Amino acid sequence: MSLTTRLHITTTHLNLKTTITKTNPHNTTIVAKPIYHSNPLTQSLFSRKMCSISSSTKGSLVVKSSLIDPDGGCLVDLVVPESQRDLKVREAESMAKVKLTKIDLEWVHVLGEGWASPLRGFMREDEYLQSLHFNCLRMKDGSLVNMSLPIVLAIDDEVKERIGASLDVALVGPDGDFVGILRSIEIFKHNKEERIARTWGTIAPGLPYVEEAITPAGKWLIGGDLEVLKHIKYNDGLDNYRLSPQQLRNEFDKREADAVFAFQLRNPVHNGHALLMNDTRRRLLEMGYKNPILLLHPLGGFTKVDDVPLDVRMEQHSKVLEDGVLDPETTIVSIFPSPMHYAGPTEVQWHAKARINAGANFYIVGRDPAGIIHPTEKRDLYDPDHGRKVLSMAPGLEILNILPFRVRVIKCSLLHCINYDTSFH
């Protein structure tokens, strides 16, 4: 499992410094047992007695590790109670219907579980414009929450005409099942060029998400309050990894975490990743934290065709834990359901904000996060340092501790790393 790159790893907050070299990124055949053979929440790798502190007036108080409040103060859950499901489905049958694409369904998943809290549905026009132009939403109390990517649902002329004056519409999944209901709808123009330019900073052809989800989409957007009729399942053998923000928070509490550091990736764990994650935990312990927990959080939504498929990545992550490269007792592996935009500094804010809602209070950010090669020129589309710089300044993310790293030189396998003098390279 040998990989090659050159990295100089440092962090402003943790003062990490080390070096790496890796070779052959994806030429290893991996046959691994899954980390969890059923829902990981029902088979914890270890359990502990909940600690308590005494109070002279209140007695014994349970100490929780809910380290950071959800964005907006409350974690949104838009999935209707099971007792109401049949009634809602019958109601949906009589409504005008909007057919969802696979990516639309991934956004329903994101919204329904509260990853985008406090957003309660596909954006109406005022929310869309705030997100598109300010990267944040203003709450009723005047406060701001970060929302750097528009989460919208597109429809064409035919669907718009069919909806007519309806106040509510039913959402139908790619397989024809009723997925949700959108209430108190608003339909407004989908200016694709403006959306693309503001989100990616270019309208160059060949942007993967644009080609897949925006170019073929309709010229109208429909927003409203979302009710999700049932939990989104993909039946791909990986649903037990798809833990909601609330499930993750419960697991952090169960493990009595006093710090949670999140690491997102859309490709296999390589030497630099492993070294960084282990060294981050070591530094957090040196800072006085007693039980920092790693959230290894691979992105599970849409990715471009040359990215490593999700099932292969999950097998590799399983092997990394099985071999002890990362400690299973202090690591939670879960799939983040969001589609990937490859929108650089704009998108990395979304990735960080969603992890706040999952309960992480530290976020590791690498070189050129969410970046991509320019689709028509041989260069990076974004400055490799801008992602971490933007995260350190982004409105609404002040409560999150950002852990950036940069490049230097090392040579290592996944199990052992050796520092080298940079003069050899």
Side-chain angles (χ1 to χ4, degrees):
M1 207 178 292
S2 166
L3 304 151
T4 286
T5 202
R6 295 195 172 195
L7 299 169
H8 168 63
I9 301 174
T10 59
T11 110
T12 302
H13 299 279
L14 300 186
N15 194 29
L16 305 182
K17 291 187 179 179
T18 189
T19 38
I20 295 188
T21 306
K22 59 180 175 80
T23 67
N24 293 332
H26 309 305
N27 61 358
T28 304
T29 300
I30 300 165
V31 178
K33 298 177 182 177
I35 305 167
Y36 303 115
H37 299 282
S38 63
N39 190 314
L41 294 179
T42 62
Q43 285 193 351
S44 290
L45 292 166
F46 71 102
S47 59
R48 298 177 182 168
K49 184 178 179 181
M50 288 297 292
C51 63
S52 63
I53 56 174
S54 61
S55 167
S56 59
T57 57
K58 297 294 184 182
S60 183
L61 302 177
V62 174
V63 178
K64 295 280 189 179
S65 69
S66 297
L67 303 167
I68 191 167
D69 287 337
D71 229 356
C74 182
L75 191 61
V76 168
D77 180 358
L78 303 179
V79 181
V80 302
E82 189 171 356
S83 60
Q84 299 179 21
R85 191 166 300 157
D86 290 344
L87 178 64
K88 298 283 187 181
V89 170
R90 289 195 297 271
E91 186 180 3
E93 289 172 347
S94 65
M95 294 178 178
K97 297 167 182 61
V98 175
K99 185 72 176 290
L100 303 178
T101 66
K102 182 181 177 182
I103 290 178
D104 294 335
L105 184 65
E106 291 169 355
W107 283 123
V108 169
H109 187 171
V110 166
L111 290 165
E113 291 186 342
W115 294 100
S117 295
L119 194 62
R120 300 191 63 85
F122 286 104
M123 290 178 176
R124 297 181 176 91
E125 188 174 30
D126 60 343
E127 296 165 323
Y128 171 71
L129 291 174
Q130 289 180 70
S131 172
L132 193 64
H133 291 277
F134 308 132
N135 286 358
C136 56
L137 302 178
R138 187 171 296 281
M139 305 295 289
K140 290 181 180 180
D141 64 1
S143 62
L144 295 176
V145 296
N146 193 275
M147 187 62 70
S148 62
L149 289 183
I151 300 180
V152 292
L153 179 60
I155 58 173
D156 59 22
D157 288 334
E158 182 182 345
V159 174
K160 179 177 180 291
E161 184 177 350
R162 190 163 63 240
I163 291 171
S166 300
L167 298 178
D168 309 323
V169 297
L171 304 182
V172 179
D175 295 332
D177 296 335
F178 286 106
V179 170
I181 295 173
L182 208 57
R183 305 277 189 187
S184 303
I185 62 169
E186 177 183 345
I187 297 175
F188 54 100
K189 289 183 179 179
H190 185 192
N191 185 332
K192 297 181 185 182
E193 185 174 14
E194 179 188 31
R195 179 183 173 189
I196 295 165
R198 296 291 303 186
T199 303
W200 282 270
T202 180
I203 56 171
L207 296 167
Y209 187 90
V210 172
E211 297 292 314
E212 183 73 20
I214 299 180
T215 300
K219 64 181 182 181
W220 304 97
L221 297 175
I222 180 171
D225 298 325
L226 178 64
E227 296 175 358
V228 182
L229 299 182
K230 59 182 178 180
H231 291 283
I232 305 300
K233 301 294 182 184
Y234 300 85
N235 301 313
D236 57 359
L238 300 174
D239 282 330
N240 59 297
Y241 288 106
R242 293 183 172 95
L243 307 184
S244 70
Q246 188 59 63
Q247 287 175 311
L248 286 168
R249 284 174 172 266
N250 292 345
E251 186 70 3
F252 299 145
D253 282 343
K254 186 175 182 179
R255 298 193 184 200
E256 298 178 13
D258 59 354
V260 174
F261 57 109
F263 187 68
Q264 170 176 295
L265 64 173
R266 66 175 193 268
N267 280 302
V269 172
H270 63 55
N271 304 330
H273 296 153
L275 181 64
L276 176 69
M277 289 183 277
N278 283 323
D279 212 26
T280 298
R281 175 173 165 78
R282 180 179 63 82
R283 292 294 185 177
L284 287 170
L285 290 169
E286 290 178 355
M287 291 168 63
Y289 293 98
K290 302 300 182 186
N291 189 31
I293 296 294
L294 167 64
L295 173 59
L296 184 62
H297 215 196
L299 185 137
F302 164 80
T303 54
K304 55 190 175 69
V305 294
D306 58 346
D307 279 350
V308 178
L310 179 62
D311 59 342
V312 176
R313 286 185 276 138
M314 295 306 294
E315 284 195 27
Q316 193 261 1
H317 300 343
S318 174
K319 185 64 174 175
V320 165
L321 269 71
E322 183 181 303
D323 288 351
V325 177
L326 298 174
D327 184 356
E329 291 195 344
T330 59
T331 303
I332 295 174
V333 181
S334 179
I335 294 172
F336 178 44
S338 176
M340 186 76 191
H341 278 58
Y342 306 91
T346 298
E347 183 172 17
V348 75
Q349 296 173 66
W350 158 242
H351 292 167
K353 174 244 174 58
R355 276 39 180 246
I356 292 175
N357 285 327
N361 56 346
F362 290 86
Y363 185 75
I364 301 173
V365 60
R367 177 190 179 278
D368 196 19
I372 193 173
I373 299 298
H374 193 287
T376 61
E377 302 174 19
K378 293 182 179 180
R379 62 176 177 85
D380 289 336
L381 181 55
Y382 307 106
D383 186 296
D385 292 327
H386 281 183
R388 65 177 179 82
K389 290 180 178 179
V390 166
L391 277 185
S392 69
M393 301 181 287
L397 298 181
E398 298 87 354
I399 59 175
L400 188 64
N401 299 285
I402 305 300
L403 309 176
F405 68 96
R406 295 187 209 114
V407 201
R408 212 178 150 199
V409 185
I410 13 173
K411 180 165 179 100
C412 60
S413 71
L414 273 175
L415 294 176
H416 183 63
C417 293
I418 303 171
N419 288 313
Y420 277 87
D421 189 309
T422 56
S423 62
F424 295 134
H425 298 267

